[in-house]
């Protein structure tokens, strides 16, 4: 049933003459702040875009300008929310700006309110909420938020965050299964989303399924050839890892599988230095031990070759006879 005021408004709207000035009148009655809110959300979006550009092009090394732009956008959108507390567009914009500005609690509150006001939640909102829940140490809620995020959202990072949430919840097998279903589908190709294949290899490695991990790496290297290291490096650089320490693990595994053992060793140690924040510290140190073994073997082999060369020097080349 319609409430009396709503029913009366519906009757008046249905019976109203269709003159332009009347349409403006009824539009103002139904949405009295519509024009103002549209101006505010447009301006806030411009400021947010400018802030993103500053971050992308390193033109704001201190971050002061970016913070100021996001603060201005946040203030505008808070005012817009006071004008229209249930406006889904305002709530989504407010949640995005709060997230970009590092206001975790405010972003979660606004985005949760947005999901209550609409039946068509945008993938970006679900992705942001999932990452925020991860930052707050609530992986189960992160899993629920990230379940429906498509693989092509945010450069393919959606399933990667889902795998991170499942892993944080102690469900490494589920994380492996989720990624395996994506890359193992009938139409799946390494060239489509190589970062997801790499995430699967990392997840296998964390679960100590080493043969499976290196089988995936071999598939990647076979498909990508000389682009293996460069292309995956670009993908890893573009991802906002949650938790941030995961970047060290991914980077170390990439260095190691690309043959840069010294760099890989340093990154494994950087990850292990996270202590309690590094749940796979044992695996990282196992990699360090394996790299030390390989480097020691390589050093011993070089020493052997040099010793043999000194013991059996090559004969000097024959002297050429110069004809008179």
């Amino acid at each position: 049933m319609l409430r009396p005021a709503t029913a009366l408004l519906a009757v008046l709207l249905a019976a109203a003459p269709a003159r332009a000035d009347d349409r403006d009148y009824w539009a103002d009655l139904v949405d009295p702040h519509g024009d103002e809110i549209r101006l505010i959300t447009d301006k806030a979006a411009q400021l947010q875009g400018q802030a993103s550009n500053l971050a992308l092009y390193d033109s704001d090394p201190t971050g002061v300008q970016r913070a100021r732009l996001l603060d201005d956008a946040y203030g505008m959108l808070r005012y817009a929310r006071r004008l229209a507390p249930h406006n889904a567009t305002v709530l989504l914009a407010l949640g995005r700006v709060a997230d970009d500005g590092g206001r975790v609690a405010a972003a979660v509150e606004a985005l949760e309110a947005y999901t209550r006001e609409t039946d068509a939640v945008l993938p970006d909102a679900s992705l942001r909420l999932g990452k925020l829940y991860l930052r707050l140490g609530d992986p189960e809620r992160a899993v629920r938020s990230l379940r429906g995020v498509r693989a092509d959202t945010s450069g393919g990072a959606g399933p990667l965050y889902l795998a991170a949430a499942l892993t944080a919840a102690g469900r490494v097998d589920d994380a492996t299964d989720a990624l395996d279903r994506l890359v193992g589908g009938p139409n799946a190709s390494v060239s489509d989303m190589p970062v997801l294949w790499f995430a699967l290899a990392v997840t296998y490695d964390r679960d100590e399924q080493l043969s499976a991990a290196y089988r995936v790496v071999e598939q990647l290297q076979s498909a990508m050839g000389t682009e293996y290291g460069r292309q995956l490096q670009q993908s890893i650089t573009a991802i906002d890892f949650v938790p941030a320490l995961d970047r060290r693990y991914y980077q170390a595994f990439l260095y190691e599988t690309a043959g840069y053992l010294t760099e890989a060793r340093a990154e494994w140690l950087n990850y292990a230095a996270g202590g309690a924040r590094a749940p796979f510290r044992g695996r990282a140190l196992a990699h360090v031990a394996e790299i030390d073994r390989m480097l020691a073997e390589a050093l011993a082999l070089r020493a052997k070759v040099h010793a043999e060369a000194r013991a059996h020097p090559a004969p000097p080349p024959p002297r050429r006879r110069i004809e008179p």
Side-chain angles (χ1 to χ4, degrees):
M1 291 182 61
L2 294 175
R3 291 178 296 179
T6 308
L8 177 60
L9 180 58
V11 171
L12 291 172
L13 287 172
R19 297 199 308 270
D21 55 346
D22 285 335
R23 284 197 299 272
D24 292 342
Y25 170 77
W26 292 116
D28 289 342
L29 186 62
V30 173
D31 188 12
H33 304 291
D35 290 339
E36 187 176 5
I37 285 173
R38 279 186 287 275
L39 286 172
I40 291 171
T41 53
D42 287 347
K43 180 60 178 175
Q46 291 175 15
L47 294 175
Q48 188 179 16
Q50 292 172 23
S52 297
N53 288 334
L54 288 175
L56 285 173
Y57 298 108
D58 296 326
S59 54
D60 179 30
T62 64
V64 172
Q65 295 181 56
R66 180 176 181 273
R68 186 179 298 121
L69 290 168
L70 291 172
D71 285 347
D72 289 346
Y74 183 68
M76 291 178 182
L77 291 167
R78 288 185 68 192
Y79 171 70
R81 185 178 185 180
R82 288 196 294 272
L83 296 178
H86 302 288
N87 186 304
T89 300
V90 170
L91 292 168
L92 176 59
L94 181 61
R96 285 170 168 168
V97 167
D99 184 19
D100 286 357
R103 296 177 169 90
V104 174
V108 168
E109 189 278 327
L111 289 171
E112 286 180 342
Y114 160 75
T115 63
R116 292 192 295 270
E117 296 294 339
T118 180
D119 294 327
V121 176
L122 293 179
D124 175 66
S126 297
L127 183 69
R128 286 179 182 267
L129 263 177
K131 291 167 62 180
L132 288 163
Y133 290 140
L134 268 176
R135 287 195 175 97
L136 291 172
D138 194 344
E140 291 294 352
R141 292 180 77 184
V143 168
R144 289 194 292 272
S145 185
L146 292 164
R147 276 289 187 197
V149 177
R150 299 189 309 271
D152 59 352
T153 300
S154 188
L160 189 149
Y161 292 125
L162 174 60
L166 288 166
T167 301
R171 299 159 58 186
V172 182
D173 288 344
D174 289 341
T176 304
D177 290 343
L179 289 169
D180 194 41
R181 281 195 300 271
L182 279 173
V183 303
N187 299 316
S189 169
V190 171
S191 59
D192 291 339
M193 288 288 177
V195 71
L196 294 185
W197 288 74
F198 191 73
L200 176 61
V202 167
T203 308
Y204 275 134
D205 180 78
R206 288 172 165 178
D207 199 31
E208 300 191 35
Q209 297 187 51
L210 305 188
S211 297
Y214 283 95
R215 185 169 60 248
V216 175
V217 168
E218 287 172 3
Q219 288 178 276
L220 276 167
Q221 291 174 335
S222 176
M224 301 175 74
T226 58
E227 290 294 294
Y228 171 78
R230 187 191 67 82
Q231 190 172 337
L232 283 174
Q233 179 64 65
Q234 289 180 343
S235 298
I236 289 172
T237 301
I239 293 170
D240 176 26
F241 282 94
V242 183
L245 195 59
D246 271 3
R247 181 183 301 280
R248 298 290 193 183
Y249 201 106
Y250 274 71
Q251 189 67 69
F253 194 70
L254 178 59
Y255 278 145
E256 184 173 336
T257 54
Y260 298 101
L261 298 183
T262 303
E263 293 83 351
R265 187 181 190 279
E267 285 295 343
W268 286 125
L269 289 174
N270 283 331
Y271 176 83
R277 297 181 297 109
F280 300 100
R281 185 172 184 273
R283 283 295 307 132
L285 293 177
H287 277 280
V288 172
E290 179 63 16
I291 288 172
D292 286 345
R293 185 192 63 77
M294 288 189 289
L295 290 175
E297 284 184 356
L299 186 62
L301 180 60
R302 284 198 298 270
K304 181 180 179 182
V305 170
H306 291 157
E308 290 179 351
R310 288 193 299 271
H312 305 284
R319 298 176 63 182
R320 287 196 307 165
R321 181 179 178 185
I322 301 176
E323 299 292 338

